[in-house]
Amino acid sequence: MAQSSDEDTDISDSEITEYEDKFYEELQNGTHDVKTSDETYTCPFCPKKRKRDYLYKELLQHASGVGQSSSQKRKAREKANHLALVKYLEKDAMAVNVPSKPVDEGKHDVNSDEQFVWPWIGIVVNIPTRRAEDGRCVGASGSKLRDEYKSRGFNPFRVNPLWNFRGHSGTALVEFNKNWPGFDNALAFERAYETDHHGKKDWFAKSEQKSGLYAWVARADDYNANNIIGENLRKMGDVKTISELMEEEARRQDKLVSNLTNIIQVKNKHLQEIEVRCHETTLKMDMAMEEKDKLIQAYNEEIKKIQSSARDHFQRIFSDHEKLKWQLESQKSELELRKVELEKREAHNESERKKLAEEIEENTLRNSSLQMAAIEQQKADEKVLKLAEDQKKQKEELHAKIIQLERQLDMKQKLELEIQQLRGSLSVLKHMEDDDDAEVLKKVDDLHMDLREKEQSLQDIDALNQTLIVKERKSNEELQEARKELVEEIIKEDDEKLNGLKNEMGEGAYNAVVAALTEINAYNPSGRYIISEIWNYAKGRRATLEEGDLTYCILREVACINTGRTEEGCYTTWLFMVLIVIRLTLSGSGLWDDRLIRYDVLTEI
């Protein structure tokens, strides 16, 4: 319970060295298991890590990377225990993938065919015991003997006292590291007791009573003995010769080299595949950028064509208006001349005077109507100019929206390409993640963060586009509602001009003018300039949504077919055709002369 509490509480950087020594002692005491088999190791401080089995060099690299990491995510306690693991691996453990140094047979007088218990185990007998109150024998602990042997340079990692039904048996088994340095320590352990005449031969010699500890290295006869020592040796190890151990180690090294060679080949093949995919991605990016440049160039050329066509179109409109104005002035002059001629004529009788007066009055009314038509023509000219300015503003706004959308599209494509590159880089680094290098871990974290930021930016752009579309649609609906609420002006039935028009031109002209004024008040009571509207002449009413969509599509289709332009290039032609529809509507009401519609202009469009 205390250990769990300590793990939850981190330490400061100044305490790393102190805790490193503490964890190193725990590793030496066998508190943590490091070696899982003859060739594999495990990290006792990373129980939740996906990779549990390491070779010696892999575990050393993992422990060094974590212990020396500069990342803020690594806690000080984690660094301390991994530094202790590095120290333990370098001083107390053996790397199975490093060529071992066999024992010097001549130096130690060891027969290569002599059978030893492996892992190397020493036997200690004649350990002092005493009888406890319960009648069982007790003796010195194994840790005390282990510390004593370590201080003498034998470096055992565990001492196991042997117990039987009477208690402490007075014997113990000393475990050494199962490598060649461990074998050297075991032989040194045996020679030390032989020098003091407390070796195996001295123990089995028939002499006076023995005193002190006797010890030696366990061999085949000890392994096969029918006593408590033999039973425990058979549980703890096997009997092997030096030659067999050297051959077995050589086989393990060859197998390890073969496995590593195969792994390297697989990694190289996978790396080549990744490089090919990266090259293909780069080519696709280059092609996409080239296609984008072509589209931009084509768009700029189309915009120039549209602007040039619009200038020519408005120039033709102004020319037509000047001609119509001149025609009205000519008609007015003719009427003035006729009036003068009529005034000069003298009527010789009452009937001729009466007829002359009626003709003069009729000419006066016609002249007044022509003046009204001229005024309306002037207003129409002003409205056409305003319509041209509005169209220019709409085109500028449309152009700005197109540029904005292109920038957003460029940004979106750029983000998608960056995401694709990040994913490719992340795929490469994921195959390097098993090496547990600190720099690789940091790069993977940075790439994950960059990838999440790019994907979030891409989602924000899509959300912004959707928001703009919804806002535009909502604004259009509010504008239509506002237009309906602005119908406030009421046409007076006793208006003198309207009654004069009704008396002079008839009921049809009067109704047409009243309808036109009503529509102008309904659509734009403040500016009172013309608003384009799709009209159903067959039923004498404004077209419904379905009828308007059909008319809109027909006008755009005819404009595109006649001009041979793209859909974006048909906007100006379509707008001019809408203007023609407005003219036709006004001509039916008597406010627009049918002679103003020029078929040759329509044909040119």
Side-chain angles (χ1 to χ4, degrees):
M1 197 70 180
Q3 182 178 359
S4 175
S5 178
D6 292 342
E7 291 178 356
D8 295 338
T9 305
D10 197 14
I11 61 175
S12 62
D13 292 339
S14 59
E15 298 176 320
I16 291 180
T17 303
E18 179 182 350
Y19 275 82
E20 177 185 350
D21 296 337
K22 176 182 177 182
F23 289 124
Y24 176 66
E25 291 180 359
E26 292 180 356
L27 290 169
Q28 285 183 321
N29 296 336
T31 305
H32 304 286
D33 294 329
V34 178
K35 199 164 187 179
T36 58
S37 67
D38 295 341
E39 298 180 355
T40 59
Y41 295 79
T42 186
C43 179
F45 306 113
C46 299
K48 297 182 180 179
K49 189 172 179 62
R50 181 179 59 185
K51 183 174 181 181
R52 300 298 305 276
D53 295 331
Y54 297 86
L55 296 176
Y56 176 83
K57 282 188 176 180
E58 292 176 344
L59 182 58
L60 184 60
Q61 184 179 8
H62 162 72
S64 300
V66 176
Q68 299 175 4
S69 174
S70 59
S71 175
Q72 299 296 331
K73 296 181 179 179
R74 300 291 187 185
K75 296 182 178 179
R77 179 182 295 275
E78 190 176 5
K79 294 180 182 180
N81 53 36
H82 280 80
L83 288 174
L85 180 59
V86 173
K87 187 176 180 181
Y88 176 78
L89 291 172
E90 291 176 347
K91 292 187 176 182
D92 301 299
M94 168 188 175
V96 297
N97 55 345
V98 177
S100 302
K101 297 180 180 179
V103 63
D104 189 347
E105 298 177 5
K107 179 179 179 181
H108 301 296
D109 295 330
V110 176
N111 185 1
S112 60
D113 295 329
E114 186 177 5
Q115 293 182 327
F116 290 87
V117 176
W118 191 84
W120 322 116
I121 298 177
I123 300 174
V124 180
V125 297
N126 204 31
I127 299 175
T129 60
R130 58 183 179 82
R131 190 174 300 276
E133 295 180 356
D134 58 357
R136 293 172 56 86
C137 296
V138 296
S141 64
S143 59
K144 182 177 180 181
L145 285 174
R146 182 197 61 199
D147 295 339
E148 178 184 348
Y149 290 147
K150 278 189 175 183
S151 64
R152 297 174 62 180
F154 302 142
N155 297 322
F157 68 87
R158 188 182 294 114
V159 176
N160 295 320
L162 302 182
W163 296 73
N164 54 23
F165 65 94
R166 295 188 180 90
H168 199 296
S169 63
T171 59
L173 299 181
V174 182
E175 298 183 41
F176 297 92
N177 291 323
K178 53 180 179 180
N179 50 27
W180 296 119
F183 184 61
D184 290 339
N185 292 330
L187 293 179
F189 167 79
E190 184 180 62
R191 287 196 306 272
Y193 279 94
E194 287 178 350
T195 303
D196 295 338
H197 301 289
H198 281 71
K200 182 176 182 180
K201 293 180 180 180
D202 300 314
W203 172 253
F204 287 102
K206 295 181 179 180
S207 61
E208 67 279 358
Q209 185 177 2
K210 307 294 190 299
S211 62
L213 301 180
Y214 289 76
W216 61 89
V217 178
R219 290 175 174 79
D221 56 344
D222 301 308
Y223 183 86
N224 297 320
N226 189 18
N227 53 27
I228 190 173
I229 295 176
E231 292 177 359
N232 284 274
L233 289 176
R234 288 189 290 273
K235 293 178 182 179
M236 297 172 64
D238 197 2
V239 177
K240 295 183 180 180
T241 64
I242 301 299
S243 300
E244 290 174 348
L245 288 173
M246 294 177 66
E247 292 175 358
E248 184 178 346
E249 184 176 1
R251 286 195 301 271
R252 286 200 303 269
Q253 290 178 359
D254 294 339
K255 182 179 179 180
L256 177 61
V257 171
S258 177
N259 292 337
L260 291 176
T261 302
N262 293 334
I263 292 173
I264 291 173
Q265 291 176 353
V266 172
K267 292 288 186 181
N268 289 335
K269 183 179 179 181
H270 189 65
L271 182 60
Q272 291 175 358
E273 293 176 355
I274 292 175
E275 290 176 351
V276 170
R277 289 201 296 269
C278 289
H279 180 66
E280 293 176 353
T281 303
T282 303
L283 291 178
K284 291 180 181 178
M285 290 172 58
D286 294 339
M287 293 175 63
M289 296 301 294
E290 183 178 355
E291 184 68 21
K292 173 192 169 186
D293 294 337
K294 291 181 180 179
L295 290 175
I296 292 175
Q297 184 178 0
Y299 168 77
N300 292 333
E301 293 176 356
E302 186 66 23
I303 288 297
K304 290 180 181 178
K305 292 180 181 179
I306 293 173
Q307 292 175 349
S308 177
S309 177
R311 285 195 299 268
D312 297 340
H313 172 65
F314 284 116
Q315 188 64 37
R316 288 196 297 270
I317 291 176
F318 292 135
S319 299
D320 292 343
H321 282 213
E322 290 296 327
K323 291 179 182 180
L324 293 173
K325 185 178 180 181
W326 179 79
Q327 290 177 0
L328 289 174
E329 292 293 337
S330 299
Q331 291 179 2
K332 182 178 179 181
S333 299
E334 290 176 0
L335 291 174
E336 290 290 342
L337 291 175
R338 187 174 179 184
K339 178 182 178 181
V340 172
E341 290 177 357
L342 289 174
E343 289 177 349
K344 290 180 180 180
R345 293 175 59 183
E346 295 180 355
H348 299 287
N349 52 45
E350 289 294 331
S351 59
E352 290 180 355
R353 291 193 193 95
K354 186 176 181 179
K355 185 184 296 185
L356 179 61
E358 291 177 355
E359 188 175 355
I360 291 173
E361 184 178 358
E362 183 178 355
N363 289 336
T364 302
L365 290 174
R366 290 182 179 177
N367 189 21
S368 176
S369 299
L370 289 175
Q371 289 179 354
M372 291 177 63
I375 294 172
E376 293 296 332
Q377 176 63 36
Q378 184 178 0
K379 292 181 179 180
D381 293 341
E382 295 175 355
K383 293 174 182 178
V384 169
L385 291 175
K386 190 168 184 180
L387 178 62
E389 293 177 357
D390 293 340
Q391 181 185 3
K392 182 178 179 182
K393 292 181 181 179
Q394 292 175 358
K395 287 176 60 179
E396 291 176 353
E397 293 175 355
L398 178 61
H399 190 198
K401 288 182 178 180
I402 292 174
I403 293 176
Q404 182 180 3
L405 291 175
E406 282 183 347
R407 290 176 180 173
Q408 293 178 355
L409 179 60
D410 293 344
M411 187 181 298
K412 183 177 180 181
Q413 291 178 348
K414 182 178 178 182
L415 287 175
E416 290 176 349
L417 293 176
E418 290 180 357
I419 290 172
Q420 193 173 5
Q421 286 180 336
L422 289 174
R423 286 177 176 166
S425 301
L426 186 59
S427 177
V428 174
L429 292 177
K430 281 184 178 178
H431 295 285
M432 301 171 63
E433 186 179 1
D434 292 338
D435 295 338
D436 291 315
D437 185 72
E439 296 181 358
V440 173
L441 289 175
K442 184 176 182 181
K443 288 182 178 179
V444 170
D445 292 342
D446 294 340
L447 285 177
H448 273 297
M449 185 177 296
D450 290 343
L451 182 58
R452 287 193 293 270
E453 291 177 355
K454 299 297 182 184
E455 291 177 342
Q456 185 62 37
S457 298
L458 184 59
Q459 294 176 0
D460 292 342
I461 290 176
D462 290 337
L464 177 60
N465 288 337
Q466 293 299 324
T467 303
L468 291 177
I469 292 172
V470 172
K471 286 185 177 180
E472 183 178 4
R473 185 173 300 169
K474 184 177 180 181
S475 298
N476 289 334
E477 294 176 353
E478 292 177 353
L479 180 60
Q480 294 299 329
E481 294 294 332
R483 285 176 175 175
K484 293 180 180 179
E485 294 177 359
L486 286 175
V487 179
E488 298 173 354
E489 184 173 340
I490 302 175
I491 301 174
K492 298 180 180 180
E493 294 182 357
D494 57 348
D495 187 86
E496 294 180 359
K497 293 183 179 180
L498 290 177
N499 290 332
L501 179 64
K502 182 177 180 181
N503 296 330
E504 178 185 358
M505 306 298 294
E507 191 75 17
Y510 172 82
N511 293 332
V513 172
V514 170
L517 292 175
T518 302
E519 291 172 359
I520 290 175
N521 290 333
Y523 286 100
N524 196 349
S526 58
R528 304 191 70 175
Y529 52 83
I530 297 175
I531 299 296
S532 301
E533 183 65 51
I534 305 300
W535 192 261
N536 189 333
Y537 285 95
K539 297 183 179 180
R541 58 172 173 78
R542 184 174 60 184
T544 62
L545 181 60
E546 293 78 7
E547 295 168 348
D549 290 343
L550 178 59
T551 305
Y552 173 83
C553 295
I554 293 174
L555 288 175
R556 289 184 64 85
E557 192 69 20
V558 171
C560 293
I561 293 174
N562 290 338
T563 59
R565 301 174 183 168
T566 61
E567 176 146 353
E568 291 81 2
C570 294
Y571 176 78
T572 304
T573 304
W574 172 81
L575 182 62
F576 186 67
M577 295 184 74
V578 173
L579 180 60
I580 291 175
V581 174
I582 297 172
R583 287 185 178 181
L584 290 173
T585 303
L586 293 178
S587 66
S589 65
L591 297 180
W592 195 280
D593 196 336
D594 293 336
R595 290 174 296 176
L596 301 184
I597 304 300
R598 293 183 53 187
Y599 181 77
D600 55 341
V601 176
L602 179 59
T603 305
E604 290 178 2
I605 297 172

